[in-house]
């Protein structure tokens, strides 16, 4: 499974350009039909909606493996959009809210929200390390993008991904990039799954709006 741009046209143009590469062998992916449909919950309470997503599937021209190409707004094995997951994690890491309060705020089951927060907390150390390194590697002026230091691991992880989102926004000439988009673009669809970050990054960054100029090179990890 790979994270790709969420509009179908750019998925096709990305693949035509050989990006992203096969995660198994770094071979070139070609479009290969469709993956199963997913029903994803977006928004909170009055704005909540259930949206059908049917991701494309890619097949590697090297090893013939097929891979689900998940749009950047979605996370693997989550029935809620990345925006919703990110809102819950921010509420915990920045606002200090507990999972019950967040569940009530978002209109989601308590156990579901607790699962998101635990998964992110379990990966927080690895996320902070990875994205701090990326921000220093790729950011000419990363210090200027750095949010205030946070004491808890989840806060440090959030700060590091936010800093790297700033680096990517500058690189792709977009005004802002949501931190969850940077996380998914770099680490792949399992960014919000516990213990799935290290060694699981994508070969080839999911390209961003306005990024079809070939600057989406290989990412570390
Ligand atoms: Zn392959």
């Amino acid at each position: 499974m790979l994270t790709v741009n969420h509009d179908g046209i750019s998925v096709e143009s990305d693949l035509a350009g050989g990006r992203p590469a096969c995660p198994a062998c770094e071979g070139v992916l070609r479009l290969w039909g469709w993956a199963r449909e997913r029903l994803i919950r977006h928004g909170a309470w009055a704005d909540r909606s259930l949206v059908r997503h049917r991701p494309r599937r890619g097949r590697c021209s090297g090893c013939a493996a097929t891979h689900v190409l998940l749009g950047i707004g979605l996370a693997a094995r989550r029935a809620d959009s990345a925006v919703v997951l990110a809102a819950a994690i921010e509420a915990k890491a920045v606002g200090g809210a507990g999972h019950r309060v967040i569940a009530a705020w978002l209109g989601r089951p308590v156990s579901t929200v607790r699962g998101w927060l635990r998964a992110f907390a379990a990966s927080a150390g690895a996320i902070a390390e990875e994205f701090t390194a990326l921000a220093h590697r790729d950011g000419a002026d990363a210090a200027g993008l750095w949010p205030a230091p946070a004491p808890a691991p989840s806060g440090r992880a959030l700060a590091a991904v936010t800093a790297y989102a700033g680096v990517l926004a500058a690189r792709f000439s977009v005004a802002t990039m949501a931190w969850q988009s940077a996380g998914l673009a770099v680490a792949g669809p399992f960014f919000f799954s516990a213990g799935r970050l290290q060694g699981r990054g994508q070969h080839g960054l999911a390209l961003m709006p306005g990024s079809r100029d070939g600057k989406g090179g290989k990412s570390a990890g």
Side-chain angles (χ1 to χ4, degrees), residues 105-170:
W105 169 53
L106 290 173
R108 300 297 197 278
V110 169
S111 60
T112 301
V113 172
R114 188 172 52 211
W116 301 342
L117 300 178
R118 282 183 175 171
F120 191 77
S123 303
I127 290 172
E129 192 177 321
E130 172 84 10
F131 284 83
T132 298
L134 287 171
H136 283 302
R137 187 193 72 182
D138 296 345
D141 186 23
L145 299 159
W146 219 261
S154 290
R156 285 199 296 277
L158 185 56
V161 182
T162 302
Y164 194 55
V167 172
L168 289 178

Side-chain angles (χ1 to χ4, degrees), residues 62-192:
C63 70
T66 63
H67 302 280
V68 175
L69 306 171
L70 208 59
I72 202 165
L74 307 182
R77 295 182 187 161
R78 298 289 186 230
D80 294 271
S81 71
V83 169
V84 175
L85 299 169
I89 289 164
E90 281 177 33
K92 170 78 174 178
V94 180
H99 60 272
R100 289 176 195 284
V101 170
I102 296 168
W105 169 53
L106 290 173
R108 300 297 197 278
V110 169
S111 60
T112 301
V113 172
R114 188 172 52 211
W116 301 342
L117 300 178
R118 282 183 175 171
F120 191 77
S123 303
I127 290 172
E129 192 177 321
E130 172 84 10
F131 284 83
T132 298
L134 287 171
H136 283 302
R137 187 193 72 182
D138 296 345
D141 186 23
L145 299 159
W146 219 261
S154 290
R156 285 199 296 277
L158 185 56
V161 182
T162 302
Y164 194 55
V167 172
L168 289 178
R171 174 170 155 192
F172 294 121
S173 303
V174 293
T176 58
M177 182 177 298
W179 68 270
Q180 69 272 13
S181 297
L184 289 161
V186 171
F190 290 97
F191 176 66
F192 288 107

Side-chain angles (χ1 to χ4, degrees), residues 21-29 59-65 67:
C22 172
C25 76
E26 302 193 37
V28 175
L29 292 179
R59 184 170 183 266
C60 178
S61 54
C63 70
H67 302 280

